[in-house]
């Protein structure tokens, strides 16, 4: 039997009227099944996109169109179990992040079993993102692929363009549903089936053509009125109360502190609104969080060991990379797509605003090996995270300063670049050069932080002996 590789991510979507600058944003932690699963950042040119696609973890294969777009991507750095392109922005400024592993139930699987020879997480981004010209078109292409080929797992996927954000839940073996997120709303989506109330007649919903019939004819709806897809197709387990729901609770608590909710609530809302305009920094904080200022913080000093281990945090040692895919509306289209990226455990890293309209990616972010090597941002970020975890409070202030200064420096470069990029003879080449500068800022500041951590920690080593002992 083929070994399946699954992650356990957390996703955030922000509509353009909910964001601080009028951009759309979709973001996700890519969490590996294990602590180390090396990732790289690449740009896939149209000529490098395959025309025949063959999966590694299943028998799925498909002929792809002849006119792919170029796109940024964060695939696995080590070959052997598929591409896992994960997320990116294509040359038409359409963004996609896939996939969020989600839950299902035996009723759904009974009427629509999984297809072991279908498509899965390793395949989705590479066979969809290069061929779509809007977020809605992304939903429709993926939906048709699922209907035709089926899947061996259930996933949540997001699409965005300058106007719309869509969230997509795959359902059992061959079905799916998607919702357009209102422009003034945000979503926090952990590893559960996330769509709740669903209007089959709305222009802001899409689904498999026979989905409503499937529900009605097979008596899948437990509610007397309406269609709550989480109730129909999702889970409501003890694991959800400890592993999934608390992450939605904490994200919603951050954006809406005025609302009292329980971390174990099975019906935390899907679509949320807040009066505060949401920034990249807000998304990064939530995706890095470990329940700060609650009784459940693993780094807490006044809570019990039991409380520290009660709920699964958002920021964990299995974070491989964090991306925030931003499509801006206040700049020309040539510089609108920003692929914000950070590697490693998110409590200890900084996110960098890479332009998506490029023809290559920086060496520190692209050349990731299977094992630790100098010159790799992935491995340097993991070194900082591993080191920092052993005495979090000793290094906390230095890490916070590092993150603030790194993002601040990168934002300054971005602002200056926005002013002049379209005046350059070759905008794409210029943005590629700027991305290299941004990578240098992150890499150099990361090394500076590592030096500071060593200087703090070395005097505290247990292996000590002086002339005065």
């Amino acid at each position: 039997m083929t070994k399946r590789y699954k992650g356990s991510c957390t996703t955030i979507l922000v509509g353009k009227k909910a964001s601080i600058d009028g951009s759309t944003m979709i973001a996700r932690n890519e969490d590996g099944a294990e602590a180390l699963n090396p990732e790289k950042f690449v740009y896939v040119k149209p000529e490098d996109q395959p025309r025949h696609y063959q999966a590694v973890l299943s028998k799925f294969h498909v002929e792809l169109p002849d006119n792919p777009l170029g796109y940024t991507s964060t695939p696995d750095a080590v070959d052997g179990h598929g591409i896992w392109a994960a997320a990116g922005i294509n040359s038409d400024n359409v963004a996609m992040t896939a996939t969020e592993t989600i839950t299902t139930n035996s009723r759904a699987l009974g009427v629509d079993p999984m297809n072991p020879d279908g498509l899965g997480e390793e395949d989705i981004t590479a066979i969809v993102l290069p061929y779509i010209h809007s977020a809605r078109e992304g939903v429709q292409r993926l939906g048709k692929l699922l209907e035709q080929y089926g899947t061996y797992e259930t996933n949540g996927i997001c699409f965005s363009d300058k106007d719309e954000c869509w969230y997509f839940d795959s359902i059992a073996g061959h079905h799916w549903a998607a919702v357009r997120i209102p422009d003034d709303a945000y979503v926090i989506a952990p590893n559960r089936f996330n769509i709740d109330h669903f209007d089959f007649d709305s222009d802001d919903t899409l689904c498999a053509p026979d989905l409503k019939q499937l529900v009605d004819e097979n008596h899948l709806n437990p509610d007397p009125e309406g269609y709550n897809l989480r109730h129909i197709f999702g889970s409501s387990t003890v694991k959800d109360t400890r592993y999934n729901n608390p992450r939605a609770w904490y994200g919603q608590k951050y954006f809406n502190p005025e609302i009292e909710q329980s971390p174990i609530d099975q019906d935390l809302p899907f679509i949320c609104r807040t009066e505060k305009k949401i920034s990249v920094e807000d998304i990064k904080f939530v995706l890095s969080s470990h329940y700060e200022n609650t009784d459940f913080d693993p780094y807490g000093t006044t809570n019990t060991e039991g409380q520290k281990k009660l709920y699964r945090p958002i920021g964990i040692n299995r974070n491989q990379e964090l991306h925030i895919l931003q499509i801006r509306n206040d700049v020309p289209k040539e510089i609108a797509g920003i692929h914000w990226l950070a590697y490693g455990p998110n409590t200890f890293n900084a996110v960098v605003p890479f332009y998506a309209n490029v023809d290559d990616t920086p060496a520190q972010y692209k050349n990731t090996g299977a094992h630790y090597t100098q010159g790799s941002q992935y491995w340097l970020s993991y070194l900082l995270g591993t080191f920092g975890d052993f005495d979090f409070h000793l290094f906390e202030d230095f890490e916070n300063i590092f993150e603030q200064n790194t993002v601040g420096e990168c934002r300054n470069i971005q602002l200056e670049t926005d002013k002049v990029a379209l005046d350059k003879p070759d905008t794409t080449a210029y943005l590629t050069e700027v991305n290299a500068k941004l990578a240098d800022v992150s890499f150099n500041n990361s090394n500076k932080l590592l030096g500071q951590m060593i200087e703090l920690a070395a005097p505290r080593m247990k292996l000590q002996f002086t002339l005065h002992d």
Side-chain angles (χ1 to χ4, degrees), residues 177-190:
V179 173
R180 180 184 185 274
I181 307 307
D183 292 343
D184 63 346
Y186 74 91
V187 166
I188 311 287

Side-chain angles (χ1 to χ4, degrees), residues 69-286:
L69 301 170
Y71 60 103
T72 59
S73 172
T74 51
D76 283 5
V78 180
D79 295 333
H81 52 89
I83 296 176
W84 295 75
I89 301 173
N90 71 25
S91 56
D92 268 3
N93 286 333
V94 181
M96 176 183 183
T97 178
T99 53
E100 176 89 23
T101 305
I102 62 171
T103 57
T104 186
N105 62 57
S106 57
R107 299 185 305 278
L109 295 176
V111 299
D112 184 14
M114 297 294 189
N115 177 15
D117 295 329
L119 57 90
E121 291 190 23
E122 62 157 317
D123 318 304
I124 292 176
T125 303
I127 64 174
V128 175
L129 182 58
Y131 310 102
I132 57 177
H133 306 277
S134 70
R136 186 181 292 259
E137 192 176 322
V139 170
Q140 293 166 332
R141 175 170 172 79
L142 178 56
K144 290 179 180 178
L145 287 167
L146 279 172
E147 292 165 25
Q148 181 176 356
Y149 297 102
T151 182
Y152 53 79
E153 58 190 356
T154 50
N155 290 294
I157 300 96
C158 305
F159 299 91
S160 65
D161 53 38
K162 67 183 181 65
D163 294 315
E164 298 184 347
C165 294
W166 283 80
Y167 182 85
F168 181 115
D169 270 328
S170 67
I171 298 170
H174 301 80
H175 289 79
W176 59 277
V179 173
R180 180 184 185 274
I181 307 307
D183 292 343
D184 63 346
Y186 74 91
V187 166
I188 311 287
N191 299 112
R192 65 179 182 189
F193 195 102
N194 283 290
I195 297 174
D196 50 17
H197 304 288
F198 192 82
D199 182 355
F200 283 94
D201 298 319
S202 172
D203 291 335
D204 292 329
T205 62
L206 293 167
C207 64
D210 63 339
L211 187 64
K212 187 174 183 295
Q213 180 182 358
L214 182 84
V215 173
D216 293 341
E217 290 185 354
N218 292 281
H219 313 293
L220 299 179
N221 192 354
D223 299 324
E225 296 181 0
Y227 292 85
N228 184 317
L229 298 192
R230 194 187 306 164
H231 292 172
I232 296 169
F233 297 113
S235 61
S236 184
T237 65
V238 173
K239 180 178 179 179
D240 286 322
T241 65
R242 297 187 61 179
Y243 195 85
N244 292 321
N245 304 342
R247 285 180 277 155
W249 163 78
Y250 190 80
Q252 292 176 15
K253 177 181 174 66
Y254 176 81
F255 291 120
N256 292 96
E258 74 280 6
I259 300 176
E260 291 290 332
Q261 297 180 137
S262 167
I264 66 172
D265 188 348
Q266 302 280 24
D267 284 315
L268 290 168
F270 173 56
I271 292 174
C272 302
R273 291 174 172 84
T274 176
E275 294 183 1
K276 176 186 177 182
K277 297 290 187 178
I278 297 173
S279 68
V280 165
E281 285 82 355
D282 291 323
I283 295 174
K284 173 60 167 65
F285 176 83
V286 171

Side-chain angles (χ1 to χ4, degrees), residues 14 36 42 45 62 96 98 110 118 131 170 172 233 279 423 426-427:
V14 179
L36 295 170
V42 301
K45 298 178 181 180
V62 64
M96 176 183 183
Y131 310 102
S170 67
F233 297 113
S279 68
D423 297 329
D426 187 337
T427 298

